[in-house]
Amino acid sequence: MAEAAIWEEAEAKAQLRAGKGRVVIIGAGSVGATYAFQLMNSGLVSEICIIDIDQRRTEGEVMDLSHGASFVPPVRIWAGDYPDCRGADLVVITAGARQKPGQTRLTWLLP
């Protein structure tokens, strides 16, 4: 049984390298949108799903990325929801609290 799992994992990695994988990005802010843009340009995956609490922003980012899709290897990009994480090869979490003016990241670490 363990040998079958090893072969399944190897097959999944080969598909991801061949550009057949799906990546879900949680967070459509600056980091998430930049990550999606670079991932789209890399040609490593065939599907990119972007999830954010602000659905309108997510749809806007997807539209922006879709405008450049004709210049990169084939990729499907869509604004999704958390059930889309199921079956993804990679889930990247870029969501986080926005810093307030004058606030440093250290203030999040200190009690």
Side-chain angles (χ1 to χ4, degrees):
M1 199 60 148
E3 187 175 328
I6 292 170
W7 283 109
E8 286 177 17
E9 183 179 348
E11 174 75 20
K13 287 180 181 178
Q15 285 181 348
L16 187 59
R17 280 194 300 273
K20 297 179 183 176
R22 177 172 18 142
V23 173
V24 175
I25 301 169
I26 300 174
S30 299
V31 175
T34 302
Y35 188 90
F37 174 74
Q38 292 295 6
L39 188 61
M40 179 182 83
N41 286 323
S42 74
L44 290 174
V45 296
S46 59
E47 297 180 37
I48 301 172
C49 174
I50 304 175
I51 300 170
D52 195 275
I53 195 167
D54 185 349
Q55 188 67 23
R56 289 183 60 176
R57 179 189 178 112
T58 307
E59 291 168 359
E61 293 294 345
V62 167
M63 284 190 278
D64 288 346
L65 291 167
S66 296
H67 286 292
S70 59
F71 302 104
V72 299
V75 61
R76 176 178 170 237
I77 306 167
W78 78 96
D81 208 346
Y82 291 101
D84 293 316
C85 294
R86 178 178 223 111
D89 296 295
L90 179 66
V91 176
V92 180
I93 302 173
T94 64
R98 190 175 294 273
Q99 286 177 262
K100 296 180 179 124
Q103 184 182 31
T104 67
R105 292 178 183 236
L106 290 175
T107 57
W108 289 332
L109 299 174
L110 302 174

